[in-house]
Amino acid sequence: MARPRGSAAYKKIDGTLAIVKDGQAVSWTPVAPPGSKPTLTLHVSSITNLQQTPATSAKVMLKVFALTQGASASEQYVFSFTSPTTARAEADAIKDALSKAIQAAKAGSGVLAPPGGASAAMTIASAVTSLPPGGGNTDAWYDDSRLKSDVQLQQSLLKSNTSLSKTFMESLRTKPESITNSQFTDQFWSTRIHLLRAHVIEKNQTRGAYNVLSSFKPTTVDGTTKLSISKEQIQLIFNQHSLVKRVYDENVPRLSEEAFWSRFFQSRLFKKLKGEKISEHDTTDNILDRYLQHDEDEERGKRLAASHVPRIIDVEGNEENHSQRKGNQADVSMRPAPMDRVPIIRTLNSLSEKIMVHVPPNDIDPSLPIGVDEETFNTLALRDLQADAEENRVVLNVKDQSRFFSSNKETGVSADAVLYAKQDPAQVLRTLKSDVARLASNPGLESAIGVDNDSSDEESQPKKGHVGSKASLAAATAQILAAVSQQRAQTDDLHASAAGFSTALPSSTFGLSVAVFDRLSLTHATTTEFLQHFWSAFLSGDADRADEISRLVETFNRAMDRIKAVADDADQERTKEVEKVEKQLREQYARTKRKMKFDFDSIGGGAKAVNQLLGPTIKAIKLAGQEYKKALAASAVTEEDEIT
């Protein structure tokens, strides 16, 4: 199949616009001199938008928006097709090929596009959405293997996350010698892919366009007003205000760069572009004041002409087809107001429109036709004028419906009836009579259900569990309070950190000092890391990793020693705190001769708090050791059987 190509002029120079062989780029080659190489090549991955003149337009033009490497905004490339007979067909063929390539690129990067065919009448088409700076591919954000192998990204994340960096360095320092650095790194980052993905997305985020003129705030230094401006801000001013770019081109270098910007920020033109009212006391400028009457938004008419507005919401179309110039005058809210009234609103609306033009929509398929989509059409449709919708249902013709409502297909007797038939009527009557007699003799509800609040026999003489009894209520209350206490211990003022453990505020460290609690957190993180290494090797079934598993078990012993050391330090701190309180009580007794009662159990911390926090980790270490011993014993028995 021949590649789409056509005669097109770029910057008023005749040439040929064609799709390259692989279909992933479009190139433009000048006609003169003959045999020239392409001077402009735009890759599909860098294209952010497409625009084409309507079919009713006499000129056939295709505008391509592309984001070049290092640029903050898309650049425009306009190609005018010059063929007198086949210009429209050539433009449609190239545009359709680019739309298909863009759609394929989106599908390959994990962005699904809605179904639909290409349309030759498309005026504005969205191309690639959510591209990283430079038009790069977003596959790196979703590919786990690329994230795990990106060393620079990992180092950047460690520098930005101090807690994660401590965990990594401590785990690397205490790892067994049988585990290489590469194995440890792969295992460490395999459980933190989500952190790497979030970090790379954060790094690729850039600041979008904004109202640059309102961001300038002059400062006064030593009685002199100063204002700083950067190259990026100048570029934004030119992009948002074409009139400023025109004034700059016509007056620089006749005026120096510094003199131009100094006069501009003090001129009436600057106040007009910001949307502020111009007063008689404002400074005049014989050069810049000449541009006050120029239309700063002269391109708006071209954009409106190129865009497609549905007739049902086209106010200008209504005015053209159904004019209100005759008869009663329209309400004041419906009359067009001059630009000098409420200029700030008009300026902000115009600027917002300019900024949004360069933002590619992320919910539009480039291959869909222009106009009202199905959802908008259904919203605007006048449902009262529509006919009733035809019923679309499947009619079921069932001959014998009774068999669907009977559990016993042979006899037609329900399951409850079969259950009741097995009971002895005499026994049921005796049970009912005994219950009625007990209720008659004990009219109180508590005594009827077996609850006696005045008796303590239930605690001394255990009986069979009875719903509503005092023992049952006490057990339920104790269980609920225990669950609440456990939940508070796990969640109160705790904040999950990126290292995989929770860091607490000083008021909720269970009586431990900040230094001891940080050691405890680091010990927990490193132990959890080695547990992940152990289970990864233990469950792999690889006999060659037996030595690695045995080294990891030895590491668990050292981890228990570290936990014990933290507990001993916590006990020493608690002992010092208890001695401090006892000293205060003795001093108070010496002054007042009155003994004060103090509950020393209210002083938190100590080994008890450490064991409570690291209880699940200690159980996990013991479980790993038990499973290792079982597997070791089983392998020894298997070897003996093979020898005999």
Side-chain angles (χ1 to χ4, degrees):
M1 183 177 178
R3 292 177 292 131
R5 58 187 299 122
S7 301
Y10 175 64
K11 293 184 178 181
K12 299 182 180 181
I13 301 177
D14 293 335
T16 302
L17 186 67
I19 304 294
V20 298
K21 293 182 179 180
D22 57 356
Q24 297 301 313
V26 59
S27 62
W28 180 82
T29 306
V31 175
S36 301
K37 295 183 179 180
T39 59
L40 177 64
T41 302
L42 302 176
H43 293 276
V44 172
S45 59
S46 64
I47 298 176
T48 59
N49 201 2
L50 292 174
Q51 289 185 5
Q52 184 181 354
T53 53
T56 57
S57 177
K59 294 183 179 181
V60 182
M61 303 174 67
L62 179 65
K63 182 183 293 187
V64 181
F65 294 82
L67 192 66
T68 58
Q69 184 71 24
S72 59
S74 300
E75 296 185 9
Q76 303 177 10
Y77 302 89
V78 182
F79 302 97
S80 301
F81 290 85
T82 57
S83 176
T85 56
T86 61
R88 177 64 58 180
E90 293 173 352
D92 291 343
I94 294 176
K95 182 265 304 175
D96 292 342
L98 286 176
S99 299
K100 292 179 181 179
I102 291 169
Q103 197 171 11
K106 290 173 62 177
S109 61
V111 181
L112 298 180
S119 171
M122 181 180 68
T123 302
I124 301 178
S126 171
V128 179
T129 60
S130 303
L131 280 174
N137 198 340
T138 58
D139 286 343
W141 297 0
Y142 305 102
D143 190 354
D144 293 353
S145 59
R146 294 182 63 178
L147 292 175
K148 289 169 59 178
S149 59
D150 194 341
V151 180
Q152 294 182 354
L153 176 65
Q154 296 167 6
Q155 292 178 352
S156 176
L157 177 57
L158 292 176
K159 291 179 180 178
S160 62
N161 193 324
T162 308
S163 178
L164 184 63
S165 178
K166 290 181 180 179
T167 303
F168 178 82
M169 298 306 297
E170 182 66 17
S171 302
L172 184 64
R173 184 181 64 83
T174 57
K175 72 175 182 64
E177 296 180 357
S178 59
I179 301 178
T180 62
N181 291 339
S182 60
Q183 292 175 346
F184 169 78
T185 304
D186 290 341
Q187 180 64 28
F188 182 86
W189 292 114
S190 63
T191 59
R192 294 168 175 84
I193 294 295
H194 62 289
L195 298 178
L196 293 173
R197 183 173 293 110
H199 187 63
V200 70
I201 292 176
E202 180 183 358
K203 288 180 61 179
N204 282 277
Q205 289 179 341
T206 57
R207 183 178 182 181
Y210 61 96
N211 188 356
V212 63
L213 291 183
S214 62
S215 64
F216 290 106
K217 305 296 181 183
T219 58
T220 304
V221 179
D222 298 334
T224 304
T225 302
K226 294 185 177 181
L227 184 68
S228 59
I229 183 172
S230 61
K231 294 181 179 179
E232 291 77 10
Q233 291 175 325
I234 293 177
Q235 187 63 37
L236 275 177
I237 293 176
F238 289 161
N239 293 336
Q240 295 177 7
H241 303 280
S242 57
L243 181 58
V244 179
K245 185 176 181 180
R246 174 186 170 185
V247 175
Y248 179 87
D249 292 338
E250 293 180 358
N251 295 278
V252 178
R254 186 157 53 92
L255 290 176
S256 64
E257 189 93 9
E258 183 179 355
F260 172 80
W261 291 113
S262 176
R263 298 176 67 165
F264 171 75
F265 287 114
Q266 300 178 25
S267 65
R268 297 186 176 188
L269 180 62
F270 175 67
K271 295 190 64 176
K272 177 187 175 182
L273 296 179
K274 287 182 63 177
E276 299 178 0
K277 288 187 176 181
I278 300 175
S279 64
E280 298 179 355
H281 304 286
D282 293 332
T283 306
T284 59
D285 191 295
N286 57 351
I287 296 178
L288 300 182
D289 288 352
R290 293 180 300 173
Y291 299 91
L292 288 175
Q293 304 303 324
H294 288 72
D295 186 8
E296 197 271 334
D297 200 11
E298 56 185 10
E299 296 183 357
R300 184 172 182 271
K302 298 179 181 179
R303 293 198 304 268
L304 291 177
S307 62
H308 178 84
V309 181
R311 287 300 183 187
I312 194 171
I313 59 175
D314 187 0
V315 179
E316 295 183 358
N318 293 340
E319 176 64 24
E320 180 181 352
N321 299 326
H322 184 64
S323 176
Q324 298 292 327
R325 288 189 292 268
K326 297 180 180 181
N328 296 333
Q329 189 177 14
D331 186 73
V332 65
S333 60
M334 300 299 294
R335 303 174 197 169
M339 282 293 295
D340 56 349
R341 297 187 60 183
V342 200
I344 183 65
I345 298 178
R346 296 179 179 272
T347 301
L348 292 179
N349 289 341
S350 176
L351 183 59
S352 300
E353 184 180 357
K354 291 179 182 179
I355 293 175
M356 294 305 297
V357 164
H358 299 284
V359 178
N362 59 0
D363 56 350
I364 299 178
D365 181 15
S367 63
L368 293 180
I370 62 171
V372 182
D373 53 53
E374 185 177 359
E375 182 179 359
T376 307
F377 177 80
N378 294 333
T379 304
L380 300 175
L382 301 177
R383 297 181 179 84
D384 294 343
L385 304 180
Q386 297 177 0
D388 296 336
E390 297 182 1
E391 294 184 356
N392 185 14
R393 58 182 179 176
V394 179
V395 180
L396 299 179
N397 297 320
V398 183
K399 296 181 179 179
D400 184 11
Q401 298 185 8
S402 61
R403 58 193 181 93
F404 293 103
F405 303 98
S406 176
S407 59
N408 194 324
K409 298 181 181 180
E410 297 180 357
T411 62
V413 181
S414 64
D416 292 339
V418 174
L419 179 62
Y420 293 146
K422 295 180 180 180
Q423 298 182 0
D424 185 6
Q427 179 65 29
V428 173
L429 289 175
R430 285 195 296 269
T431 304
L432 289 175
K433 288 180 180 180
S434 62
D435 290 342
V436 172
R438 187 174 71 253
L439 290 174
S441 60
N442 299 310
L445 179 60
E446 293 182 351
S447 59
I449 64 176
V451 177
D452 188 3
N453 293 325
D454 298 332
S455 175
S456 60
D457 294 340
E458 294 184 7
E459 298 179 0
S460 59
Q461 298 178 1
K463 299 179 180 180
K464 184 179 180 180
H466 188 283
V467 177
S469 64
K470 188 174 182 179
S472 300
L473 294 176
T477 303
Q479 183 180 6
I480 293 174
L481 293 177
V484 171
S485 300
Q486 184 178 7
Q487 185 69 14
R488 288 189 60 185
Q490 295 176 355
T491 59
D492 273 6
D493 294 333
L494 293 177
H495 305 273
S497 66
F501 192 61
S502 295
T503 57
L505 299 176
S507 59
S508 61
T509 56
F510 295 87
L512 301 174
S513 64
V514 177
V516 173
F517 192 84
D518 289 342
R519 285 180 54 195
L520 182 143
S521 302
L522 192 58
T523 302
H524 171 271
T526 54
T527 306
T528 303
E529 197 67 34
F530 292 135
L531 282 170
Q532 292 174 351
H533 279 281
F534 170 81
W535 289 113
S536 176
F538 185 79
L539 299 176
S540 64
D542 188 359
D544 296 336
R545 304 184 66 178
D547 182 61
E548 177 183 348
I549 296 173
S550 63
R551 297 290 183 87
L552 286 170
V553 173
E554 296 177 2
T555 305
F556 293 154
N557 297 332
R558 293 195 295 269
M560 292 297 296
D561 294 339
R562 288 194 294 270
I563 294 175
K564 187 177 182 303
V566 174
D568 293 341
D569 292 344
D571 257 344
Q572 293 178 5
E573 286 189 349
R574 187 179 184 278
T575 301
K576 293 180 180 179
E577 186 67 23
V578 170
E579 292 176 353
K580 180 180 179 181
V581 174
E582 289 178 345
K583 182 180 179 181
Q584 293 176 354
L585 292 176
R586 287 195 299 268
E587 293 176 353
Q588 186 174 5
Y589 176 75
R591 291 195 308 268
T592 62
K593 302 300 181 183
R594 294 177 58 185
K595 290 185 178 181
M596 299 293 295
K597 293 183 179 180
F598 184 81
D599 186 10
F600 289 96
D601 293 336
S602 62
I603 301 177
K608 181 180 179 181
V610 174
N611 294 329
Q612 179 184 358
L613 290 171
L614 295 182
T617 304
I618 296 173
K619 291 181 181 178
I621 293 175
K622 292 181 180 179
L623 178 61
Q626 293 173 1
E627 293 296 328
Y628 173 73
K629 291 179 181 178
K630 289 181 182 179
L632 190 62
S635 63
V637 172
T638 304
E639 291 178 358
E640 291 179 359
D641 293 341
E642 291 178 355
I643 294 174
T644 56

